[in-house]
Amino acid sequence: MTVVIGVPANADPAETRTPIVPDVVKKLDALGVQLVVERGATQGAFLLEDDLAVTWVDSTAEVISAAQIVWTIGNLTPEAEAQLRPGQILMGLLAPYSSAEHASRLAQQGVTAFAMELLPRISRAQSMDILSSQGAASGYQCALIGATRSPKFFPMLTYAAGTIRPARVLVVGAGVAGLQAIATAKRLGAIVEGYDVRPETREQVESLGAKFVDTGVSAAGTGGYARELTDDEKAQQAAALAKAIGKTDVLITTAAVPGKKAPVIVTRAMLDGMRPGSVVVDMAAETGGNVEGTVAGKEMRVGPAHVVGPVNLPARMPVHTSEMFSRNLYNFTAPMITDGELVIDWSDEVIRGTALTHGGYVAHQSVGKVLGLQTVAVRAADPLADQAPTDVQPAPAVDATAVQPLPTTDQEPQA
């Protein structure tokens, strides 16, 4: 039976990206995959119907009815999700930690949901890593926002009457987004510094031509994450960071923790120590912000600083971010298609580790722990993994009004 991948129009009118682009259409066609796309699903990324050799339909319902696999950027509407069939595959950015009700609903419907945010961070999965590809776009955008809001030139400028000194930029967090922000600010000519609680990032920061801010605190942990700092270490870190922040013209923060509210790294006291006209761009605004006083989607004056809380940064450049997203999804999906048939190898740690729900159960232990839901891991020994143990009850329905805020854990951010 021919594998059919469906792409519905996005439920969020502000979302401009699409998970399907012409290059990936050709690759899927070579695998014998048929594509069904809802009209309007690609307009935000400036792709017209003539640009894609797919079957076009007029509604999300038609997409879901025809598809074995549904690709999406963001969750479907509740009405659309209710139409998903048992065994149908939902794949994309699903905000897995955001709602116990949502995870339970997908499990109860028997949907196999792959939340790409859960992709294991291992070398083999790098070509599938949507968070990294979209994070690079976010970091790039943060540098541009800082440059356009700053009352200073980023580069050194020589003119007839003398020389203008370059702006100073500090980037907190040296993950993919932070490193891209550093690289972009450096290309724009600013004097750039970078900081991360993980000391192993020093070499990466310096390789981009930036200076690493050394607070004297090492928070190296396991799995690429940082460990929890002691109170004394936090105080030492804050003092050193406040000094660096006070000298900067543009501050960019990028620290985020999966399943948790973003950690507050920059306090109001630190902002008060900045120079008038300073700009702060808080990339973590959507999850609470790294900066005290950040408001998601707003630009605020906090003390002497102009604080920007941008949202959905990748959607600001949908042509390239759609290409990146689509290629990531293709690289994740292609190994599941053998001789034109859908064959999921549940012994693959990448596939198993990305599964949010399967067979009527929430399958990801970390999500279950954060949301307070019972989980049943997919059995790697069974390549079909069609049945979960019979002595465990399916995920219960959850009253959305009763869902508690996400609990804290003992991890510092992977910036």
Side-chain angles (χ1 to χ4, degrees):
M1 187 175 82
T2 301
V3 176
V4 180
I5 293 177
V7 179
N10 201 283
D12 181 1
E15 180 57 74
T16 59
R17 293 171 292 171
T18 176
I20 191 66
V21 297
D23 176 57
V24 170
V25 170
K26 294 176 183 178
K27 291 181 178 180
L28 289 170
D29 182 64
L31 293 178
V33 174
Q34 180 183 349
L35 280 153
V36 177
V37 182
E38 182 179 355
R39 288 187 170 87
T42 63
Q43 286 181 354
F46 305 100
L47 291 172
L48 306 179
E49 290 187 19
D50 290 344
D51 295 328
L52 295 99
V54 303
T55 300
W56 293 95
V57 296
D58 295 318
S59 68
T60 297
E62 290 175 274
V63 171
I64 293 174
S65 176
Q68 289 172 271
I69 302 172
V70 177
W71 280 6
T72 182
I73 298 178
N75 286 303
L76 308 179
T77 65
E79 295 76 18
E81 281 191 350
Q83 300 170 41
L84 294 171
R85 308 180 298 275
Q88 197 165 20
I89 295 172
L90 181 65
M91 186 184 298
L93 291 179
L94 305 180
Y97 293 100
S98 64
S99 168
E101 180 191 28
H102 180 246
S104 294
R105 186 168 65 242
L106 289 175
Q108 288 176 324
Q109 288 180 232
V111 174
T112 294
F114 291 104
M116 298 306 293
E117 298 97 323
L118 303 176
L119 187 82
R121 309 303 287 273
I122 59 176
S123 297
R124 185 164 59 85
Q126 286 181 353
S127 67
M128 314 170 193
D129 192 346
I130 285 173
L131 290 185
S132 290
S133 68
Q134 304 303 292
S138 295
Y140 171 80
Q141 283 289 324
C142 283
L144 297 185
I145 291 169
T148 56
R149 300 300 191 279
S150 177
K152 296 184 176 184
F153 286 111
F154 263 34
M156 182 175 70
L157 182 69
T158 301
Y159 70 119
T163 301
I164 300 294
R165 292 180 59 80
R168 301 184 68 92
V169 175
L170 171 62
V171 179
V172 176
V176 171
L179 291 173
Q180 186 59 244
I182 288 171
T184 303
K186 190 68 180 176
R187 292 187 190 107
L188 290 173
I191 298 172
V192 185
E193 294 182 306
Y195 171 71
D196 196 291
V197 292
R198 298 165 297 164
E200 64 269 23
T201 61
R202 181 181 195 127
E203 183 178 349
Q204 295 171 306
V205 169
E206 293 177 343
S207 72
L208 295 172
K211 179 183 177 182
F212 188 80
V213 176
D214 189 354
T215 63
V217 175
S218 172
T222 58
Y225 291 88
R227 64 172 174 80
E228 177 75 12
L229 299 179
T230 66
D231 290 341
D232 288 343
E233 287 174 329
K234 289 178 181 178
Q236 180 180 343
Q237 176 196 51
L241 198 54
K243 184 177 179 181
I245 289 172
K247 297 177 181 178
T248 194
D249 299 305
V250 175
L251 171 65
I252 297 170
T253 63
T254 68
V257 184
K260 289 179 61 177
K261 183 180 181 296
V264 175
I265 297 172
V266 180
T267 64
R268 175 59 190 268
M270 293 179 184
L271 292 178
D272 287 340
M274 298 184 79
R275 291 177 283 207
S278 297
V279 175
V280 179
V281 185
D282 189 346
M283 199 188 84
E286 288 178 279
T287 54
N290 298 141
V291 180
E292 190 175 349
T294 294
V295 179
K298 301 288 186 181
E299 299 190 25
M300 310 287 291
R301 178 68 63 180
V302 183
H306 182 99
V307 180
V308 184
V311 297
N312 198 3
L313 287 164
R316 297 186 180 209
M317 43 191 307
V319 171
H320 280 159
T321 52
S322 294
E323 289 179 10
M324 298 160 83
F325 191 103
S326 189
R327 290 168 184 167
N328 291 147
L329 269 187
Y330 170 81
N331 289 334
F332 182 78
T333 306
M336 302 181 185
I337 300 170
T338 303
D339 297 328
E341 298 289 331
L342 182 63
V343 181
I344 301 177
D345 179 9
W346 289 106
S347 67
D348 187 329
E349 64 178 316
V350 173
I351 292 174
R352 200 168 63 249
T354 309
L356 172 62
T357 62
H358 176 69
Y361 302 87
V362 175
H364 199 276
Q365 291 187 353
S366 177
V367 172
K369 180 179 179 181
V370 169
L371 298 181
L373 297 174
Q374 193 172 29
T375 61
V376 175
V378 179
R379 292 173 294 177
D382 181 358
L384 297 178
D386 288 327
Q387 300 295 328
T390 57
D391 60 341
V392 182
Q393 296 302 311
V398 178
D399 180 358
T401 62
V403 177
Q404 298 298 312
L406 300 182
T408 58
T409 69
D410 60 356
Q411 284 185 326
E412 284 289 320
Q414 181 186 30

